[in-house]
Amino acid sequence: MEYTTLGRTGLKVSVMGLGCGGPSRIGQSAGISEADSIRIVKHALESGINFIDTAEVYRTEHIVGKGIKNVDRENIIISTKKSTWGTLTPKDVQKSFERSLENLGTDYIDIYHLHGVILKDYDYLYSEIVPTLLELKDQDKIHFLGITERFNPDPNHSMLQRALQDDIWDVMMVGFNILNQSARDLVLAKAMEKNIGILIMFAVRLALSRPKRLKECLNELIEKNQLDPSDINMDDPLKFLIHEGGAENLVDAAYRFCRYEPGTHVILSGTGNFSHLKNNLESILRPPLPETDLIKLRKIFKNVDSISGQ
Ligand SMILES: NC(=O)c1ccc[n+]([C@@H]2O[C@H](COP(=O)([O-])OP(=O)(O)OC[C@H]3O[C@@H](n4cnc5c(N)ncnc54)[C@H](OP(=O)(O)O)[C@@H]3O)[C@@H](O)[C@H]2O)c1
């Protein structure tokens, strides 16, 4: 495994993190047993991953808690979150935070995020909820504050652009992938200036793991005039990435694309499948995609800021 420093937190984190939400929820959405999901967590840790992202709303915190039970707490970085949809009160956050501690079997959270924030809610959360988070930080129960965007309805990062104007966020979770690279200019550039730790979600998601979904997304982009159809062969749209010296397959390309983007620190991989976990680890540790392929990807998708790749 390779490790890096998560921006101003100073935490030494593995460049791949285990995502325990997304479409997979470490296999819980596909119906695998709790014991197998616990084995995924343990296997990730044994492979050198020390960064685990979960959230109260994923209903996987207790699985993570069981997976990390016999590991020294200081060797694991736990990122979890409080969802922000609905009207949130400081009391809700307090209760939720205590439940997360209990589920995870720990007495502190390394990074506690406001989860899936949209622009319209940002000012309320900043003035009414952040003070509670800062109190928890003063008590050393939260080590660093994070914020995550809701990438599906906010694919051009309007909320994170607002959040970047404030100085309290140590970590941000950003949607970024081959299809929608808009975070490069809209978020990552400023985040680098402020030395904010960046976690990447949606590296693969559905569009880059299912060929049918990829074509649907590309057709949507053509309709929206964000993709020039002459730039892409719809029979096998991203085939040019797969060649000797290039990517092994599209998922491999997708993780490597994110891994080497300047300003990113941890690439989250959400899976409940042991062979996917192994393959994804191998991908993240391979070298960058060839520069010619990267230039082509930047050109083809330069205008895209309207889809998440869901
Ligand atoms: N707003 C938020 O805060 C927010 C939103 C979304 C996600 N997240 C976090 O970010 C994490 C990662 O996000 P993501 O779900 O977008 O992750 P991702 O790693 O981009 O995509 C996960 C999807 O890809 C599939 N997959 C993974 N590896 C594969 C492989 N080698 N071959 C084929 N399919 C593969 C998974 O299914 P299998 O289980 O079959 O492998 C799953 O359906 C989440 O788990 C969660 O922790 C946060």
Side-chain angles (χ1 to χ4, degrees):
M1 180 51 69
E2 288 171 25
Y3 299 86
T4 189
T5 303
L6 184 64
R8 68 199 201 187
T9 69
L11 295 169
K12 292 281 173 263
V13 288
S14 49
V15 293
M16 174 168 156
L18 181 67
C20 300
S24 178
R25 296 173 48 244
I26 37 174
Q28 290 297 292
S29 300
I32 73 169
S33 67
E34 187 175 299
D36 277 341
S37 291
I38 294 170
R39 281 177 54 225
I40 290 271
V41 174
K42 288 186 172 168
H43 187 69
L45 296 172
E46 284 157 13
S47 310
I49 290 176
N50 73 351
F51 192 98
I52 302 189
D53 178 67
T54 180
E56 184 189 35
V57 78
Y58 300 159
R59 287 173 286 121
T60 55
E61 284 182 327
H62 67 291
I63 295 177
V64 173
K66 290 177 186 169
I68 64 173
K69 207 169 172 188
N70 295 319
V71 182
D72 280 347
R73 179 65 183 85
E74 66 265 28
N75 292 338
I76 305 171
I77 311 299
I78 297 178
S79 152
T80 193
K81 340 185 180 71
K82 175 62 194 164
S83 53
T84 56
W85 37 102
T87 311
L88 197 59
T89 65
K91 211 168 172 185
D92 295 332
V93 178
Q94 280 280 0
K95 273 195 194 159
S96 194
F97 180 78
E98 293 301 329
R99 256 195 318 266
S100 290
L101 290 182
E102 203 178 309
N103 287 337
L104 287 156
T106 183
D107 51 11
Y108 69 93
I109 301 296
D110 299 274
I111 306 160
Y112 195 67
H113 306 259
L114 289 180
H115 186 179
V117 179
I118 53 173
L119 182 60
K120 159 174 99 49
D121 295 340
Y122 182 87
D123 288 340
Y124 170 81
L125 293 167
Y126 188 84
S127 62
E128 303 301 319
I129 301 299
V130 165
T132 303
L133 301 181
L134 291 173
E135 273 170 35
L136 291 166
K137 203 175 171 190
D138 284 346
Q139 295 163 20
D140 215 24
K141 289 183 169 181
I142 292 176
H143 287 184
F144 298 101
L145 289 192
I147 187 161
T148 82
E149 65 182 351
R150 214 182 299 171
F151 195 35
N152 285 327
D154 187 14
N156 66 350
H157 318 285
S158 60
M159 186 286 293
L160 285 180
Q161 289 181 70
R162 168 68 189 84
L164 279 162
Q165 293 168 24
D166 294 320
D167 279 324
I168 54 161
W169 308 111
D170 302 307
V171 178
M172 292 182 169
M173 191 184 294
V174 188
F176 179 75
N177 56 41
I178 285 175
L179 305 180
N180 182 344
Q181 306 171 28
S182 60
R184 181 179 297 123
D185 295 335
L186 299 175
V187 179
L188 300 180
K190 183 104 188 259
M192 276 192 278
E193 278 171 27
K194 300 185 88 159
N195 200 17
I196 292 171
I198 293 288
L199 315 175
I200 294 296
M201 60 177 172
F202 283 74
V204 166
R205 204 65 175 199
L206 302 185
L208 294 159
S209 61
R210 300 183 188 177
K212 185 168 169 276
R213 185 69 195 118
L214 175 61
K215 283 190 188 171
E216 287 167 3
C217 285
L218 296 177
N219 279 323
E220 189 183 327
L221 291 175
I222 291 168
E223 268 172 41
K224 288 176 171 163
N225 282 326
Q226 293 202 337
L227 185 67
D228 180 345
S230 70
D231 276 343
I232 204 121
N233 169 9
M234 285 303 270
D235 291 335
D236 197 347
L238 296 172
K239 191 179 171 194
F240 70 89
L241 293 170
I242 298 152
H243 59 87
E244 211 183 316
E248 308 257 319
N249 54 55
L250 202 45
V251 172
D252 177 63
Y255 284 123
R256 286 163 70 187
F257 177 80
C258 295
R259 156 81 174 93
Y260 292 100
E261 179 66 30
T264 69
H265 300 109
V266 179
I267 311 305
L268 295 169
S269 173
T271 187
N273 176 309
F274 284 92
S275 65
H276 288 173
L277 181 62
K278 178 176 171 290
N279 293 343
N280 299 349
L281 262 162
E282 285 170 6
S283 292
I284 296 256
L285 296 178
R286 287 194 184 107
L289 297 176
E291 189 58 23
T292 45
D293 292 346
L294 290 172
I295 290 170
K296 200 163 168 183
L297 286 175
R298 285 190 207 112
K299 177 179 174 291
I300 296 173
F301 296 104
K302 67 178 183 302
N303 295 321
V304 176
D305 67 356
S306 66
I307 61 159
S308 67
Q310 167 77 321

